[in-house]
Amino acid sequence: MMYKLEKISYEVKFESTADGGSINKMTSTYYTKGDFVLTEEEIKAGKEKALAMYKVVEAYLLQNPDAYA
């Protein structure tokens, strides 16, 4: 898939909730090269990779609460 892409942009928003937790929203924007069109399968695969990366970061922050303010 990477040969079809110029870049991918991620926007992540964290909103606090009343119970002390948070709601997290992630938007991915794909910039394709030329006239390439991504299939639903490719988009789904990209979403799964982004979610996996997000979960790794979340696990690290949960185990290292001093790493963030």
Side-chain angles (χ1 to χ4, degrees):
M1 175 168 71
M2 293 308 297
Y3 66 92
K4 293 183 178 183
L5 298 176
E6 179 181 327
K7 63 182 175 180
I8 304 171
S9 173
Y10 297 102
E11 179 181 356
V12 181
K13 293 182 181 181
F14 298 89
E15 298 175 6
S16 60
T17 59
D19 64 357
S22 65
I23 295 174
N24 310 302
K25 299 178 183 180
M26 184 178 359
T27 303
S28 303
T29 305
Y30 295 86
Y31 297 88
T32 58
K33 293 179 180 176
D35 295 331
F36 282 111
V37 176
L38 295 173
T39 66
E40 286 298 319
E41 231 175 63
E42 291 169 320
I43 293 170
K44 183 178 177 183
K47 181 180 177 179
E48 289 171 0
K49 287 179 183 179
L51 187 56
M53 177 181 61
Y54 181 80
K55 287 183 180 219
V56 168
V57 172
E58 178 186 39
Y60 174 81
L61 293 174
L62 288 171
Q63 296 233 345
N64 299 280
D66 293 335
Y68 60 95

